[in-house]
Amino acid sequence: MIIGIDLGTTNSLASAWLHGKPTLIPNALGEYLTPSCVSIDEDGQVLVGRAARDRLQTHPARSASVFKRYMGSGRALDLAGKGYHPEELSALVLRSLKADAEAMLGHEITEAIITVPAYFSDAQRKATRTAGQLAGLKVDRLLNEPTAAALAYGLHEAAPESQFLVFDLGGGTFDVSVLQMFEGVMEVRASAGDNMLGGEDFTQLLVHGYFAHSGVPETALDDASFRQRLIARADIAKRELAGNAPVTIALHWRDEEYSWTTDATQFARSAEALLARLWRPVEGALRDARIPASELNNVVLAGGATRMPLVRQQATRMFGRFPESTLDPDHVVALGAAVQAGLRMKDAALDDIVMTDVCPYSMGVEVAQHLPDGSRVSGFYSVVIERNTVVPTSRVGRYHPTAANQTAIDLQIYQGESRLVRDNIKLGSIEVPITRRNGQGGEVDVRFTYDANGLLEVEVVEIATSARHQLLITSSGHELSQAEIAERLKILSALKIHPRDTLANRSLLAEAERVFQLLLGANRDRFGQWVGLFEQALASQDERLITDRAAQLRRVIAQIEANGFLELEPV
Ligand code: ADP
Ligand code: MG
């Protein structure tokens, strides 16, 4: 049996084709969404999902998240003193989903269809396959996320020739893809996006609103634990604002309550700038695909953040129609992967063509910027080739040295869409000598040539002397070799994933630890006692006692999350 997996930046899900329909697979906590977070416990056991997300705050050095951003980059993340590639961290998430599937289906699972963003480069796709391999899963195929969303809606059974747009707003990224169905083949015609725009930005609006209007003293801004509680509350408020009733965020800081009430209208006003940013990628993708909005047969919503009525209204306005949204948007990609698995098992594979005729990323160099106060700051990204440019392509940018008597320019080359180079992926560097005296001369033209095979050539020419320097970047990423994979496999198999049957209790403890760190003084002591009672129950192995104390502890935590302190009597 082949399972489907949506390996997301924020959340991941597993699915299967069962009894003639796509079905989601719950994790050990009974939830479909497993946060894409990994943490290594003090005893070397791996925690994946909700517990790991809580431990990001209590044990940051032992926990990792958002590693999907770095797939195929060769960058290693430090976790409990050891370096792990994003492939390996993804493999741990996959292993946990595989175990969930095996628990539900009752047999071993060795094959999966994994979804990837349409814009993923060859290196990122290879890295995703490697992650599967490291998790003991043969990756039957990689499926583009927008194609999966279309499959979930059965669009492959629609008119033989149709075109649609998938509008996917996740936790931190916005992806727009225009797909075309032609002679039984579904093809991504163009993709565009903003990888600095997602549901979390809407949460931040409420965080800022609270600071501006609740009257909380400015010093609370520096209190990390207060901010953390506020973000958690703001995320809930964001969901509550789907209704018409006003929503109040009331939090305690240093024994004083500060509250702010907002409503959907006010939220809509503050979100205008974010909502406006949804336009550009949509227009870009339609322009690149050369399809006017009026000729789209369908618009499909995906990603948890499209549950916000505000986002839906904006999408309706953009396309002059109601988008498809009968399925839960944060399930559609996983459901579509299950449909593809079903088709594969019936041998009726739907060929999913990956666009290869556009360069999936922007590419550019690091530059310094002069700020209005006269200072100079480096680390900024200047794009030479824009994402989605048809390949082959060649573009040039002119750059000036920054220091008065500089003798060389050290060009750092990156791919990505972020404003700061540290958030992009480094491809290479080239140092060229220049002639510059007393702040004069030394300008260079930097030409990027990108061919259809994904080879990037960087040519630097000093204007004054016509001196030429070249650098060829062969792969847009770093692949693990077979030998490295074998070696990493050994290391990974030594890591034990926390057993599913006790994961719910372990997750509750991780959450309690996070909450404990939010508290101070007497509240902390009192809460520590509640946690102690739960631990005592765990040690007794008395199932009933464990269930009772777990419920008790959950109630206490809920109260703290709402108020910041305990009103309950001490234990
Ligand atoms: P990704 O594809 O990045 O893994 P998801 O599709 O799971 O992400 O989307 C996660 C985002 O969706 C988060 O920012 C979360 O706050 C947001 N979200 C989920 N449910 C809702 C809801 N009911 N209302 C508003 N936002 C939501
Ligand atoms: Mg997603």
Side-chain angles (χ1 to χ4, degrees):
M1 161 149 222
I2 308 173
I3 61 165
I5 293 177
D6 168 5
L7 189 59
T9 311
T10 324
N11 296 298
S12 295
L13 301 86
S15 59
W17 182 260
L18 288 181
H19 314 298
K21 61 176 203 292
T23 310
L24 295 176
I25 295 171
N27 61 24
L29 307 180
E31 296 163 342
Y32 293 136
L33 271 68
T34 298
S36 307
C37 302
V38 171
S39 185
I40 298 184
D41 214 341
E42 287 62 24
D43 59 10
Q45 280 191 339
V46 177
L47 290 162
V48 171
R50 197 190 255 270
R53 192 179 59 191
D54 279 324
R55 285 169 56 87
L56 273 176
Q57 293 169 16
T58 54
H59 302 79
R62 297 185 148 266
S63 314
S65 65
V66 296
F67 32 85
K68 182 173 173 178
R69 289 217 158 136
Y70 307 109
M71 283 294 261
S73 69
R75 186 194 286 203
L77 288 99
D78 188 67
L79 202 64
K82 287 207 188 85
Y84 292 91
H85 292 280
E87 288 90 322
E88 296 175 89
L89 299 171
S90 301
L92 294 170
V93 174
L94 291 173
R95 248 167 74 178
S96 159
L97 297 174
K98 173 175 168 346
D100 293 335
E102 289 169 346
M104 174 170 152
L105 302 168
H107 54 82
E108 206 197 344
I109 298 294
T110 54
E111 272 192 273
I113 285 172
I114 303 179
T115 60
V116 290
Y119 60 79
F120 251 28
S121 67
D122 189 52
Q124 292 169 304
R125 286 169 195 266
K126 285 206 178 98
T128 307
R129 281 190 178 275
T130 302
Q133 193 180 347
L134 290 171
L137 285 170
K138 179 173 167 286
V139 181
D140 180 72
R141 64 169 47 205
L142 297 173
L143 177 65
N144 284 324
E145 288 167 10
T147 309
L151 291 181
Y153 275 104
L155 297 185
H156 56 298
E157 289 162 351
E161 277 179 40
S162 54
Q163 35 212 15
F164 29 86
L165 182 143
V166 178
F167 184 103
D168 182 348
L169 189 63
T173 54
F174 177 44
D175 299 316
V176 179
S177 316
V178 175
L179 283 78
Q180 191 166 41
M181 181 77 188
F182 186 69
E183 291 178 346
V185 176
M186 205 183 288
E187 187 185 8
V188 177
R189 282 287 305 277
S191 69
D194 184 338
N195 71 358
M196 297 303 271
L197 176 62
E200 302 312 313
D201 297 301
F202 290 83
T203 308
Q204 281 303 320
L205 290 177
L206 295 172
V207 168
H208 292 145
Y210 180 85
F211 273 118
H213 304 292
S214 67
V216 74
E218 257 179 45
T219 37
L221 263 169
D222 307 325
D223 181 341
S225 96
F226 180 76
R227 287 187 66 89
Q228 197 178 305
R229 271 196 292 130
L230 175 57
I231 293 170
R233 179 66 189 94
D235 187 71
I236 297 167
K238 177 177 76 172
R239 294 158 202 252
E240 291 170 343
L241 282 165
N244 287 324
V247 171
T248 299
I249 301 180
L251 292 170
H252 282 85
W253 189 66
R254 300 203 172 149
D255 291 341
E256 190 86 44
E257 189 185 75
Y258 300 92
S259 82
W260 172 53
T261 301
T262 184
D263 58 24
T265 316
Q266 205 174 15
F267 184 48
R269 210 171 306 129
S270 69
E272 268 166 18
L274 289 181
L275 293 168
R277 282 169 61 192
L278 296 170
W279 278 102
R280 215 168 68 97
V282 168
E283 287 167 343
L286 287 170
R287 193 174 49 236
D288 288 358
R290 293 195 201 88
I291 294 175
S294 58
E295 280 175 27
L296 291 170
N297 298 83
N298 260 302
V299 173
V300 168
L301 296 184
T306 63
R307 289 164 85 159
M308 277 185 284
L310 273 183
V311 172
R312 293 188 171 201
Q313 284 153 15
Q314 180 76 338
T316 307
R317 214 171 295 142
M318 286 174 169
F319 303 106
R321 73 169 80 204
F322 290 105
E324 289 271 2
S325 60
T326 46
L327 298 173
D328 198 330
D330 41 27
H331 298 164
V332 291
V333 170
L335 289 172
V339 172
Q340 176 71 290
L343 290 169
R344 288 292 291 164
M345 288 184 290
K346 280 185 284 178
D347 257 353
L350 183 83
D351 280 315
D352 161 37
I353 294 183
V354 176
M355 45 160 202
T356 48
D357 54 345
V358 291
C359 98
Y361 279 119
S362 297
M363 287 177 278
V365 296
E366 176 177 359
V367 293
Q369 266 186 10
H370 290 277
L371 297 182
D373 67 358
S375 62
R376 200 176 66 219
V377 187
S378 59
F380 291 94
Y381 184 49
S382 164
V383 170
V384 180
I385 293 181
E386 297 281 355
R387 156 176 171 168
N388 245 7
T389 307
V390 174
V391 293
T393 182
S394 189
R395 299 282 160 91
V396 119
R398 180 160 295 183
Y399 296 94
H400 306 266
T402 45
N405 286 314
Q406 209 168 319
T407 55
I409 289 186
D410 183 16
L411 273 178
Q412 305 288 323
I413 298 146
Y414 287 85
Q415 76 172 31
E417 313 304 319
S418 299
R419 194 171 61 90
L420 303 176
V421 291
R422 64 147 201 261
D423 297 322
N424 291 321
I425 291 168
K426 186 162 167 187
L427 296 179
S429 64
I430 178 170
E431 194 178 271
V432 301
I434 52 165
T435 322
R436 184 169 168 86
R437 283 192 196 92
N438 305 322
Q440 299 298 314
E443 281 81 16
V444 292
D445 268 348
V446 178
R447 175 173 291 279
F448 276 28
T449 305
Y450 190 72
D451 71 12
N453 299 316
L455 299 181
L456 174 67
E457 190 189 274
V458 180
E459 188 186 63
V460 187
V461 179
E462 187 179 357
I463 314 281
T465 60
S466 302
R468 212 169 271 275
H469 308 271
Q470 267 180 344
L471 172 72
L472 186 68
I473 296 171
T474 40
S475 162
S476 57
H478 301 251
E479 278 166 45
L480 293 181
S481 66
Q482 281 308 316
E484 277 173 311
I485 292 175
E487 186 204 329
R488 304 309 300 186
L489 207 50
K490 247 192 282 164
I491 296 170
L492 283 192
S493 51
L495 284 175
K496 293 284 165 266
I497 294 222
H498 194 92
R500 266 176 53 87
D501 53 357
T502 49
L503 189 65
N505 292 332
R506 187 63 193 78
S507 299
L508 182 57
L509 269 185
E511 188 179 3
E513 263 179 86
R514 172 175 66 76
V515 171
F516 183 82
Q517 297 198 355
L518 296 177
L519 299 169
L520 291 171
N523 280 318
R524 186 177 257 214
D525 294 341
R526 270 196 281 172
F527 182 66
Q529 289 174 353
W530 288 105
V531 182
L533 278 180
F534 178 58
E535 280 178 323
Q536 199 181 54
L538 287 177
S540 78
Q541 298 186 14
D542 175 344
E543 281 307 321
R544 265 201 54 183
L545 191 66
I546 294 175
T547 314
D548 287 352
R549 298 248 169 107
Q552 221 169 36
L553 184 58
R554 280 202 190 88
R555 267 200 307 278
V556 175
I557 290 175
Q559 196 193 87
I560 295 169
E561 303 253 82
N563 300 322
F565 62 86
L566 274 158
E567 277 164 356
L568 297 178
E569 285 304 301
V571 176

